[in-house]
């Protein structure tokens, strides 16, 4: 009996000895929860996309004519791009700038062209017709949320000098306005956009201020002075003519004098003959 008591006592003692360090240890600190950093929200586009726009449509392969035809209501612009052959320049420019800045096209629809005075486009010469279409192209890519970063005045594909064919862009809220000094227009939607080409619908045809500037008047032609040598020759001819006239007058005077002398001689001879006969 005593042995059993001692056995149980030893067993309890062992259990107490081994459990005491475990209880003495402080519990491990719970790991702090890691808060996920929210990703920055993408910039909100200032220009809304149109319902029918082929937005980032890779099948279009940056074919501007195909994009505009698919978007519809750009038939006039398509025709003018072809007749002025600006489409060739735009396509070439797009190829060369793919690795750089790209292109931005501000495209007026058929309704915008119908607002122009009848026959306006045909009243322009060939150079102005090409400049009008080029004036709607920016030689760099502008995303729909990046118009507020542009610095005015903005150069266009028609800019032939630092001060020629420029426009001003104003972006505020969800609106982007374009001012040319003649026309104030608004971008109403995205026709197409990718990483190097953006086409935006503009509600008016952008008329350059350069078309309204008066043309410089041509200077009046100056009268050329007669060569001095000719004047000297004329004076010499006048002197020769005077001498000739004087010589002619002198000769005539001698003739007048000689005529009376001849008459006197005849009268003398007649008188001598009469006296001789009478004797």
């Amino acid at each position: 009996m005593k042995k059993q008591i001692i056995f149980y006592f030893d067993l309890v003692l062992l259990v107490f000895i081994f459990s005491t360090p475990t209880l003495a240890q402080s519990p491990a600190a719970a790991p702090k929860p890691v808060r996920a950093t929210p990703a920055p929200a993408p910039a909100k586009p200032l220009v809304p996309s149109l319902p029918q726009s082929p937005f980032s449509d890779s099948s279009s392969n940056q074919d501007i004519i195909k994009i505009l035809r698919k978007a519809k209501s750009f038939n006039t612009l398509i025709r003018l791009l072809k007749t002025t052959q600006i489409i060739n320049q735009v396509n070439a420019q797009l190829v060369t700038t793919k690795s750089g800045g790209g292109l931005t096209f501000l495209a007026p629809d058929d309704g915008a062209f119908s607002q122009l005075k009848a026959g306006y486009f045909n009243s322009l010469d060939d150079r102005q017709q090409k400049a009008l279409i080029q004036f709607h192209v920016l030689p760099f890519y502008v995303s729909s949320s990046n118009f507020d970063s542009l610095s005015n005045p903005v150069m266009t594909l028609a800019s032939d000098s630092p001060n020629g064919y420029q426009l001003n862009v104003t972006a505020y809220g969800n609106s982007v306005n374009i001012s040319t000094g003649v026309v104030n227009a608004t971008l109403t939607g995205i026709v197409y956009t990718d990483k190097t080409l953006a086409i935006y619908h503009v509600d008016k045809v952008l008329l350059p201020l350069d078309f309204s500037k008066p043309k410089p008047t041509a200077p009046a032609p100056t009268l050329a002075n007669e060569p001095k040598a000719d004047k000297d020759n004329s004076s010499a001819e006048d002197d020769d003519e005077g001498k000739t006239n004087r010589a002619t007058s002198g000769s005539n005077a001698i003739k007048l004098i000689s005529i009376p002398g001849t008459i006197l001689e005849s009268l003398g001879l007649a008188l001598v003959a009469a006296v001789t006969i009478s004797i």
Side-chain angles (χ1 to χ4, degrees):
M1 184 69 179
K2 290 182 180 180
K3 290 181 180 181
Q4 291 178 349
I5 294 172
I6 294 171
F7 174 76
Y8 286 120
F9 178 79
D10 292 336
L11 183 60
V12 171
L13 183 62
L14 289 172
V15 170
F16 177 78
I17 292 172
F18 285 102
S19 62
T20 300
T22 305
L23 295 174
Q25 292 178 355
S26 60
K32 294 182 179 180
V34 179
R35 294 183 179 181
T37 304
K44 186 177 180 180
L46 299 175
V47 184
S49 59
L50 297 176
Q52 75 276 18
S53 63
F55 187 82
S56 299
D57 186 1
S58 58
S59 64
S60 298
N61 196 25
Q62 291 191 328
D63 187 331
I64 295 176
I65 296 296
K66 182 184 290 186
I67 293 170
L68 293 175
R69 186 176 289 118
K70 187 173 182 178
K72 301 179 180 179
S73 72
F74 292 96
N75 296 320
T76 305
L77 180 59
I78 292 173
R79 177 173 57 83
L80 296 180
L81 280 169
K82 291 180 177 180
T83 56
T84 59
Q85 299 183 352
I86 295 300
I87 186 61
N88 299 332
Q89 180 189 6
V90 171
N91 286 334
Q93 188 89 359
L94 187 59
V95 170
T96 57
T97 58
K98 273 188 177 181
S99 58
L103 284 178
T104 301
F105 205 117
L106 309 177
D109 61 6
D110 296 336
F113 278 101
S114 67
Q115 297 175 19
L116 294 176
K117 186 188 300 183
Y120 174 80
F121 190 80
N122 292 331
S123 67
L124 304 176
D125 58 35
D126 292 342
R127 184 187 63 82
Q128 290 176 324
Q129 289 180 0
K130 291 181 179 181
L132 179 62
I133 304 303
Q134 292 170 326
F135 191 58
H136 291 75
V137 183
L138 308 183
F140 46 85
Y141 173 78
V142 183
S143 67
S144 59
S145 58
N146 210 29
F147 277 95
D148 53 356
S149 65
L150 296 178
S151 299
N152 291 316
V154 179
M155 303 287 286
T156 67
L157 199 62
S159 300
D160 52 1
S161 66
N163 299 319
Y165 294 98
Q166 297 177 339
L167 46 80
N168 292 316
V169 178
T170 305
Y172 57 91
N174 293 327
S175 178
V176 177
N177 293 334
I178 309 292
S179 175
T180 69
V182 178
V183 173
N184 293 320
T186 302
L187 299 188
T188 59
I190 302 172
V191 178
Y192 174 89
T193 184
D194 57 24
K195 294 183 179 180
T196 56
L197 173 64
I199 303 177
Y200 299 102
H201 176 215
V202 62
D203 63 349
K204 293 180 182 178
V205 178
L206 305 177
L207 303 180
L209 181 61
D210 302 71
F211 288 1
S212 302
K213 293 178 180 179
K215 295 181 180 180
T217 57
T222 57
L223 297 175
N225 295 326
E226 295 183 359
K228 186 176 180 181
D230 293 346
K231 186 176 179 181
D232 294 341
N233 292 337
S234 177
S235 299
E237 291 176 358
D238 292 342
D239 292 341
D240 293 340
E241 185 177 355
K243 291 178 180 179
T244 303
N245 291 337
R246 288 193 295 271
T248 303
S249 300
S251 175
N252 292 336
I254 293 172
K255 287 180 180 179
L256 289 175
I257 294 171
S258 63
I259 289 172
T262 303
I263 295 172
L264 291 176
E265 278 185 9
S266 299
L267 291 175
L269 291 174
L271 182 60
V272 171
V275 170
T276 305
I277 294 171
S278 63
I279 296 174

